[in-house]
Short mmCIF file of all heavy atoms in Angstrom, two decimals:
data_model
loop_
_atom_site.label_atom_id
_atom_site.label_comp_id
_atom_site.label_asym_id
_atom_site.label_seq_id
_atom_site.Cartn_x
_atom_site.Cartn_y
_atom_site.Cartn_z
N LEU T 9 -0.94 11.70 10.77
CA LEU T 9 -1.78 11.54 9.49
C LEU T 9 -0.96 11.79 8.28
O LEU T 9 -1.09 11.13 7.29
CB LEU T 9 -2.99 12.51 9.58
CG LEU T 9 -4.04 12.38 8.55
CD1 LEU T 9 -4.57 11.01 8.46
CD2 LEU T 9 -5.11 13.41 8.81
N VAL T 13 -0.44 9.17 5.22
CA VAL T 13 -0.79 9.53 3.78
C VAL T 13 0.33 9.37 2.90
O VAL T 13 0.17 8.72 1.82
CB VAL T 13 -1.35 10.94 3.74
CG1 VAL T 13 -1.41 11.51 2.31
CG2 VAL T 13 -2.70 11.09 4.39
N LEU T 16 0.69 5.61 2.39
CA LEU T 16 -0.42 5.17 1.53
C LEU T 16 -0.09 5.54 0.02
O LEU T 16 -0.19 4.73 -0.82
CB LEU T 16 -1.71 5.72 1.85
CG LEU T 16 -2.87 5.53 1.02
CD1 LEU T 16 -3.20 4.03 0.97
CD2 LEU T 16 -4.14 6.28 1.42
N GLU T 17 0.45 6.70 -0.21
CA GLU T 17 0.76 7.10 -1.55
C GLU T 17 1.86 6.33 -2.15
O GLU T 17 1.86 5.95 -3.26
CB GLU T 17 1.06 8.69 -1.65
CG GLU T 17 -0.22 9.48 -1.40
CD GLU T 17 0.13 11.03 -1.14
OE1 GLU T 17 1.28 11.38 -0.92
OE2 GLU T 17 -0.81 11.75 -1.19
N ASP T 20 0.43 2.90 -2.95
CA ASP T 20 -0.36 2.94 -4.16
C ASP T 20 0.50 3.11 -5.39
O ASP T 20 0.25 2.45 -6.49
CB ASP T 20 -1.32 4.16 -4.14
CG ASP T 20 -2.49 3.86 -3.19
OD1 ASP T 20 -2.64 2.74 -2.62
OD2 ASP T 20 -3.24 4.79 -2.86
N LEU T 82 -9.75 7.05 7.51
CA LEU T 82 -9.33 8.54 7.76
C LEU T 82 -8.13 8.91 6.86
O LEU T 82 -8.06 9.88 6.27
CB LEU T 82 -9.03 8.75 9.18
CG LEU T 82 -10.18 8.80 10.17
CD1 LEU T 82 -9.70 8.97 11.61
CD2 LEU T 82 -11.11 10.00 9.83
N VAL T 83 -7.17 7.93 6.80
CA VAL T 83 -6.05 8.20 6.00
C VAL T 83 -6.39 8.32 4.55
O VAL T 83 -5.98 9.28 3.78
CB VAL T 83 -4.93 7.07 6.23
CG1 VAL T 83 -3.86 7.23 5.13
CG2 VAL T 83 -4.38 7.12 7.58
N LYS T 84 -7.31 7.36 4.04
CA LYS T 84 -7.72 7.41 2.65
C LYS T 84 -8.43 8.63 2.30
O LYS T 84 -8.29 9.30 1.32
CB LYS T 84 -8.53 6.17 2.37
CG LYS T 84 -7.82 4.95 2.22
CD LYS T 84 -8.67 3.75 1.88
CE LYS T 84 -7.87 2.45 1.78
NZ LYS T 84 -8.71 1.28 1.48
N GLU T 85 -9.22 9.05 3.31
CA GLU T 85 -10.09 10.38 3.12
C GLU T 85 -9.06 11.51 3.02
O GLU T 85 -9.25 12.37 2.18
CB GLU T 85 -11.06 10.58 4.32
CG GLU T 85 -11.84 11.81 4.21
CD GLU T 85 -12.75 11.95 5.38
OE1 GLU T 85 -13.26 10.87 5.95
OE2 GLU T 85 -13.07 13.13 5.78
N ALA T 86 -8.10 11.56 3.87
CA ALA T 86 -7.08 12.60 3.90
C ALA T 86 -6.24 12.66 2.58
O ALA T 86 -5.85 13.68 2.17
CB ALA T 86 -6.10 12.50 5.13
N ALA T 87 -6.12 11.52 2.05
CA ALA T 87 -5.41 11.34 0.77
C ALA T 87 -6.28 11.69 -0.47
O ALA T 87 -5.77 11.68 -1.65
CB ALA T 87 -4.76 9.95 0.64
N GLY T 88 -7.52 11.98 -0.24
CA GLY T 88 -8.39 12.28 -1.25
C GLY T 88 -9.04 11.09 -2.03
O GLY T 88 -9.49 11.20 -3.10
N LEU T 89 -8.94 9.93 -1.38
CA LEU T 89 -9.52 8.70 -1.96
C LEU T 89 -10.85 8.46 -1.40
O LEU T 89 -11.11 8.40 -0.22
CB LEU T 89 -8.55 7.49 -1.64
CG LEU T 89 -7.14 7.68 -2.11
CD1 LEU T 89 -6.33 6.47 -1.60
CD2 LEU T 89 -6.99 7.81 -3.53
#
Side-chain angles (χ1 to χ4, degrees):
L9 187 57
V13 167
L16 175 64
E17 290 169 348
D20 287 350
L82 288 173
V83 172
K84 287 180 178 180
E85 181 181 327
L89 303 174

